[in-house]
Amino acid sequence: MVGVRGLEPPAPWSQTRYANQTALHPVALKRELFFEILKNHPCMWSGIICKNFYFVKSFCIILLKKLGFVMKISRFSRIGFILATAGSAVGLGNIWKFPYMTGEYGGGAFVLTYLITILLIGFAVLVAEITIGALGRLDTVSSFEKLSNNKNWKYAGFMGMNGLIIMIFYSVVIGWILHYIFSSIFYGLPENIQTAQDKFSNLIANEVGIQILWHTIATFIVLYFVHKGIKQGIEKLNIILMPSLIIILLGMLIYSMNLDGFAKSINFMFSPDWSKIDSDVIIRAIGHAFFTLSLGMGAIMTYSASLPKHINITKTALIVTFMDTIIALIAGLMIFAFLFEFGESPSKGPGLVFISMPVIFAQLGYMGIFFALIFFLALAFAGLTSAVSLVEPSVQYLITRLKISRLRATVFSGIFYYILGLSALLSYTSSWGEIFSISGTPLFDIYEFTTDSILLPLGGILMAIFVGYVLPKDQVKKLLSDEMGKYYPIWRFSIKFIAPISIFIMMLSLIGIL
Ligand code: TRP
């Protein structure tokens, strides 16, 4: 007899055979049904098509996958999940953005607000986001839809698309980094701050073609890894790049500790000038805390849909928060140590790492070129592992909901951010800047501010409310209370009250009510 496991199959589509399969996703159910039909088809019984059912079955799976009917739910390995989540969190936000924001928003005051936010809100929301992903196990929209009775919650899931808005400027910055890797090798390093400043300003203001070229290359690299999928692409990329990044940064930190500027750097970062804390600093610090932990847009939620079995969510969230914070602090300390060593000012805006670091490396002779190379490589690694997490939620959504192949989903998402990326890129140029600005603010800054200070906190508030008030209390408790032990009530309090209320206050102050 030809049949799966050699058993006489009961009548197809009978109620009882699917009664215990309610947990299956509709797509998986469809697949099961398909095999049932196939299995019971007269041709199969007569053995005309093939003697070996398994051969036909695997052929059909391939066919169905190509047609986009089968959702491939691959899971991360445990270390893969931790590294991918940390890889998402540790990004340009830590090495490019954190130092320049600290420089611009008053040093210690900014750092302190950021650290408090991470501790009080960031960690709690991170756990909440993993929880939604782990319970939903689908793309962001479907997870919200599946987990609540009120179907309007699915609109919260569209926060997953915000990643593409971040990618609009993120990809441009990865492009700058790739350009710096290339130019440090072939054109050497600028000798003084003035030349470095000119070089960077010239790049962003005049070199439209070069920027577009690197933005395009960056897009291709990111899309290549996203299209390879969770296990083959994203997990592999992170397992190699994350440890390399940490080694490079630690090496540079140790080097910078021997500089006189190191003490000044510690002083700048850790002794807050209270007079500098105003609503602007607080808004930017909270926004940055969300940005740096990859919170509030469903990146972590999407990764958590592929969460391995038996993983401790709380511990993972702790490791990720710790790694992310420590890497930002290391990057800040190191960059400011170099900067103060050469008597430079810390407020240089988005050009900070591109202007100051190459000059500093230039002082070190040939070794400097080597340092510059590994520094920008580390930055590129950090950027790439985050970028894939920014694109993946939209890709998952397109695969599951529109039933298109991963390749197509990746290409569509890529085209969206690539084209808008051009508007961000052009908004800093001298010839196109005015056209691509809104009341004098370049679109680049608008994309950046809208995402980190508005959309991410908004996403965070929705997740906190969802986990705190909408998800059944017992379901959440079952998942987390053993892991957290006596800290569980504190987390719950934070997710129900502290996180939503403080983000709400921040929002009010953002729109000028407070
Ligand atoms: N956290 C990353 C960084 O620090 C950026 C990032 C990746 C991100 N995925 C995200 C930010 C999701 C917000 C949401 O550079």
Side-chain angles (χ1 to χ4, degrees):
M1 184 196 91
V2 187
V4 177
R5 288 171 222 108
L7 293 174
E8 182 73 39
W13 313 294
S14 73
Q15 285 296 312
T16 47
R17 32 188 23 246
Y18 294 108
N20 57 354
Q21 293 190 5
T22 44
L24 274 185
H25 182 261
V27 178
L29 207 63
K30 213 190 255 175
R31 188 188 67 180
E32 292 292 311
L33 208 64
F34 181 88
F35 289 134
E36 283 308 323
I37 299 168
L38 200 74
K39 217 162 61 182
N40 299 303
H41 193 277
C43 298
M44 295 301 296
W45 292 105
S46 57
I48 293 172
I49 289 184
C50 181
K51 281 200 181 123
N52 185 345
F53 179 79
Y54 289 103
F55 174 75
V56 179
K57 182 172 166 176
S58 36
F59 174 74
C60 289
I61 291 184
I62 293 170
L63 198 71
L64 282 174
K65 267 185 200 158
K66 288 269 179 249
L67 294 173
F69 278 117
V70 178
M71 202 180 39
K72 195 171 161 227
I73 315 171
S74 51
R75 283 176 197 264
F76 279 113
S77 66
R78 197 188 298 213
I79 183 76
F81 179 74
I82 297 176
L83 284 180
T85 313
S88 165
V90 177
L92 303 184
N94 304 58
I95 311 174
W96 162 71
K97 204 163 173 204
F98 175 72
Y100 94 70
M101 299 269 281
T102 306
E104 251 174 29
Y105 290 92
F110 177 85
V111 177
L112 188 79
T113 324
Y114 153 84
L115 287 176
I116 293 177
T117 316
I118 296 270
L119 208 70
L120 287 186
I121 312 176
F123 172 72
V125 176
L126 180 60
V127 173
E129 188 163 342
I130 301 181
T131 303
I132 304 176
L135 295 175
R137 295 242 171 232
L138 293 166
D139 65 281
T140 49
V141 178
S142 313
S143 284
F144 273 107
E145 196 176 35
K146 175 175 159 188
L147 295 174
S148 75
N149 296 326
N150 183 343
K151 291 297 165 226
N152 285 331
W153 269 105
K154 80 170 180 214
Y155 296 108
F158 284 103
M159 67 173 73
M161 312 303 136
N162 292 340
L164 296 185
I165 306 182
I166 298 181
M167 274 311 283
I168 294 172
F169 65 88
Y170 215 81
S171 173
V172 176
V173 182
I174 297 181
W176 295 344
I177 296 167
L178 297 179
H179 172 72
Y180 267 75
I181 295 179
F182 177 82
S183 73
S184 333
I185 304 176
F186 292 100
Y187 299 111
L189 300 166
E191 288 299 318
N192 55 46
I193 289 283
Q194 198 49 49
T195 4
Q197 182 107 40
D198 292 347
K199 184 181 166 190
F200 183 70
S201 312
N202 186 43
L203 173 71
I204 61 170
N206 304 322
E207 306 274 22
V208 179
I210 291 187
Q211 283 194 85
I212 294 183
L213 173 74
W214 290 110
H215 168 52
T216 313
I217 296 177
T219 306
F220 271 106
I221 302 179
V222 171
L223 296 188
Y224 172 77
F225 285 104
V226 174
H227 128 268
K228 294 290 267 180
I230 290 278
K231 223 167 159 70
Q232 289 307 315
I234 296 175
E235 178 166 324
K236 275 204 182 134
L237 181 79
N238 279 290
I239 284 184
I240 300 170
L241 296 193
M242 282 306 292
S244 325
L245 170 72
I246 293 172
I247 294 170
I248 293 173
L249 280 181
L250 277 180
M252 292 187 68
L253 175 74
I254 293 170
Y255 183 87
S256 72
M257 281 174 161
N258 295 317
L259 304 174
D260 293 338
F262 196 72
K264 283 192 198 146
S265 172
I266 293 194
N267 197 29
F268 177 68
M269 280 183 57
F270 296 114
S271 41
D273 174 355
W274 300 109
S275 66
K276 286 198 172 141
I277 298 193
D278 57 14
S279 65
D280 206 25
V281 170
I282 295 177
I283 289 172
R284 297 308 309 237
I286 296 183
H288 183 68
F290 274 84
F291 186 87
T292 191
L293 280 181
S294 298
L295 293 179
M297 62 135 284
I300 304 286
M301 194 188 298
T302 305
Y303 278 3
S304 310
S306 302
L307 196 76
K309 281 181 188 153
H310 317 299
I311 189 165
N312 187 317
I313 294 178
T314 315
K315 229 191 237 164
T316 309
L318 268 178
I319 296 175
V320 171
T321 311
F322 179 76
M323 258 171 88
D324 188 71
T325 314
I326 244 1
I327 289 184
L329 295 178
I330 290 180
L333 278 174
M334 171 196 86
I335 288 174
F336 290 124
F338 278 116
L339 215 62
F340 292 134
E341 180 76 10
F342 294 101
E344 284 304 325
S345 110
S347 47
K348 293 222 160 354
L352 179 67
V353 292
F354 298 100
I355 296 167
S356 47
M357 296 312 283
V359 183
I360 292 152
F361 295 135
Q363 321 281 332
L364 308 171
Y366 279 116
M367 273 300 281
I369 296 192
F370 173 70
F371 266 115
L373 186 69
I374 56 170
F375 175 75
F376 285 115
L377 266 179
L379 206 52
F381 291 174
L384 288 174
T385 51
S386 299
V388 289
S389 79
L390 288 164
V391 184
E392 181 66 15
S394 312
V395 169
Q396 274 301 343
Y397 169 79
L398 292 175
I399 295 177
T400 327
R401 305 289 288 221
L402 300 191
K403 314 249 185 314
I404 59 177
S405 68
R406 179 168 268 275
L407 181 64
R408 271 195 195 184
T410 310
V411 171
F412 286 152
S413 312
I415 289 177
F416 174 83
Y417 83 73
Y418 176 79
I419 291 179
L420 285 171
L422 296 177
S423 71
L425 185 158
L426 291 172
S427 73
Y428 274 167
T429 59
S430 47
S431 34
W432 299 87
E434 251 174 58
I435 304 175
F436 291 98
S437 298
I438 295 176
S439 26
T441 314
L443 280 180
F444 186 108
D445 296 5
I446 294 179
Y447 294 129
E448 196 185 335
F449 182 76
T450 325
T451 42
D452 84 3
S453 296
I454 304 175
L455 296 176
L456 298 182
L458 197 68
I461 229 177
L462 288 175
M463 287 183 203
I465 293 175
F466 191 75
V467 173
Y469 299 93
V470 179
L471 279 183
K473 216 170 153 184
D474 300 340
Q475 203 177 3
V476 179
K477 194 168 182 186
K478 194 170 146 221
L479 192 69
L480 298 172
S481 75
D482 282 351
E483 291 178 8
M484 292 192 184
K486 60 179 189 295
Y487 298 107
Y488 180 74
I490 302 180
W491 171 79
R492 192 140 179 97
F493 183 76
S494 170
I495 213 66
K496 283 184 87 149
F497 304 106
I498 301 179
I501 293 173
S502 33
I503 304 171
F504 186 66
I505 294 176
M506 171 207 161
M507 292 274 167
L508 288 185
S509 111
L510 190 70
I511 41 181
I513 293 181
L514 270 182

